[in-house]
Amino acid sequence: MKKLLCFDLDDTLLATDKSISEENKQAIRRAADEGNYVSIVSGRSKRGSSFVAEELGMIGRKNCFLIAFQGNLIWDYENDRCVYMDGIPLDDGIRLLNEISDAGFYTQTYTADEMLIPGICEEFEHYNSIVHEKHRIIPSWDELTEPTLPKIMAIDYHDYERLKRFREHFLTLNYADRFDCFFSSTDYLEFCKRDSNKGHGVKKLAEYLQVDVKNVVTIGDERNDISMLTYAGVGVAMNNAHHSVKKYADYITSNDNDHSGVAEVIRKFILNEEQ
C-alpha cells in the first residue's frame, strides 16, 4: 500500500550547515522509486524550495511533490504543474503588511513566482542569502494588485521578544481571526490565511493522491510543523525539535538533523526495515 511521506526542510532534512546527507538523499529516492509518494513541506516558496528538490533528484521524478508557502501551494514535480493554491485576500494582506511596517519591522510577501519586498536592507540580504529568491521592490504595499498572497513574514534577527510582543498585539486586532500566525523560527513570524497551514497542505495532498491518513508520515522540528504532525497517521519530531513540538509527536527520532534523522524515519515507517 502506498504511503505519503512529508518532511520539513530546515533543521529536519537539512543539516545545520544546510547540507543534505547522502543517506537522506538515497532514502528519499528509494521511497519514491518503490512506489510511495514523497513531498517537501516548507514555508519557503516554490523557487526557494527548488534548489533542495533538484539536489534530491525530485524534479521530473515520479511520485514527488512540493507543499510550499506553509501549505498554500502544492506542486507536482513529475508533471511540472500546480495542483492547489490558496492565499490571503489582498485587502487583508495590505492591511497586515502596513500594520507590521508601522510597528517598525521588516516585512515581505510573495506571489507564486517571486518575493515582494519594501527595499534592500539587512534583513532582506540575510534572508535571501539562504533562499535565493527572485524579488521585486514594492515602494508602497497599497500598490499591490495580486488577488491573493500565499504568506506574509515579519522578520527580526535581533529581538525575538519584540516579535513575540507584536504577535500578542496582532491577536488583539479585530481581523486576526482571519489568519494563522506562528513562528517558523525565532527570527520569523509568519502569517497565512486561516486554516491554510502545513497540516492543511498535507491533508489536501493526501486527498488529491487518495492516500488514507493512516498511511501519511510527517517529519518536522518547529512549531509551524505541529499541524502536520497532528494530522498524520504517524507524526514524527526530530531529536533536535523545539521542546514544544515533541509532545505532539507519535515518534521522536534517535538521530538529529545532522545525523540523517529523515533516513531513520523512512527505514522505520516507509520501508519497514526497522522494527
Side-chain angles (χ1 to χ4, degrees):
M1 185 171 294
K2 288 187 177 183
K3 294 184 178 181
L4 170 60
L5 170 71
C6 297
F7 50 89
D8 171 56
L9 293 183
D10 296 296
D11 297 319
T12 297
L13 175 71
L14 303 183
T16 304
D17 64 2
K18 304 302 180 183
S19 65
I20 308 173
S21 72
E22 191 60 32
E23 188 177 1
N24 276 343
K25 291 179 188 177
Q26 293 298 330
I28 289 168
R29 291 169 188 163
R30 186 179 166 199
D33 291 345
E34 292 195 8
N36 301 287
Y37 300 111
V38 298
S39 181
I40 293 168
V41 187
S42 178
R44 297 185 189 185
S45 68
K46 174 177 173 286
R47 177 182 171 84
S49 304
S50 67
F51 302 99
V52 176
E54 288 172 5
E55 188 173 350
L56 291 172
M58 294 176 70
I59 308 297
R61 198 184 207 99
K62 188 175 182 181
N63 299 329
C64 291
F65 295 83
L66 165 69
I67 300 172
F69 292 126
Q70 305 289 4
N72 284 284
L73 174 73
I74 301 177
W75 196 265
D76 177 347
Y77 278 134
E78 178 186 1
N79 298 297
D80 194 29
R81 65 189 182 93
C82 178
V83 297
Y84 174 78
M85 187 169 179
D86 200 359
I88 299 166
L90 181 60
D91 288 348
D92 283 347
I94 290 174
R95 183 177 177 186
L96 176 57
L97 286 161
N98 285 324
E99 193 91 39
I100 296 169
S101 297
D102 290 345
F105 292 97
Y106 168 81
T107 185
Q108 63 191 29
T109 189
Y110 297 80
T111 69
D113 303 309
E114 60 186 350
M115 186 164 67
L116 307 179
I117 65 172
I120 304 299
C121 61
E122 172 196 356
E123 290 84 358
F124 162 75
E125 290 181 337
H126 182 79
Y127 183 82
N128 215 37
S129 70
I130 300 170
V131 299
H132 309 291
E133 286 281 5
K134 178 182 176 183
H135 58 276
R136 175 162 50 100
I137 295 175
I138 304 295
S140 168
W141 296 124
D142 295 327
E143 297 177 11
L144 286 172
T145 58
E146 287 71 16
T148 60
L149 305 172
K151 75 168 184 174
I152 291 170
M153 296 179 68
I155 297 178
D156 190 328
Y157 288 114
H158 306 290
D159 194 341
Y160 170 58
E161 293 300 322
R162 184 166 169 257
L163 271 180
K164 283 176 63 178
R165 289 193 297 273
F166 178 79
R167 182 177 187 273
E168 291 167 2
H169 162 70
F170 170 77
L171 294 175
T172 68
L173 301 178
N174 61 11
Y175 69 116
D177 61 353
R178 298 201 284 277
F179 295 86
D180 279 330
C181 173
F182 49 83
F183 282 96
S184 56
S185 79
T186 54
D187 304 318
Y188 306 145
L189 181 60
E190 305 204 14
F191 303 82
C192 293
K193 181 182 175 182
R194 171 68 77 182
D195 296 328
S196 59
N197 51 36
K198 286 188 177 184
H200 176 77
V202 173
K203 182 175 185 288
K204 285 289 185 182
L205 180 56
E207 291 172 348
Y208 173 75
L209 297 172
Q210 298 183 323
V211 174
D212 191 283
V213 65
K214 69 182 180 184
N215 293 315
V216 176
V217 179
T218 58
I219 318 171
D221 72 288
E222 259 294 352
R223 287 155 288 185
N224 64 323
D225 297 318
I226 290 172
S227 61
M228 71 173 182
L229 266 59
T230 55
Y231 164 74
V234 179
V236 178
M238 295 293 289
N239 181 276
N240 55 282
H242 190 277
H243 65 87
S244 65
V245 176
K246 291 181 178 180
K247 65 183 179 181
Y248 294 96
D250 301 302
Y251 178 79
I252 299 171
T253 62
S254 298
N255 298 306
D256 63 17
N257 63 308
D258 289 322
H259 298 87
S260 303
V262 168
E264 173 191 335
V265 176
I266 292 172
R267 289 192 298 267
K268 184 174 182 66
F269 295 107
I270 303 298
L271 303 177
N272 298 313
E273 291 179 349
E274 295 183 2
Q275 301 298 329

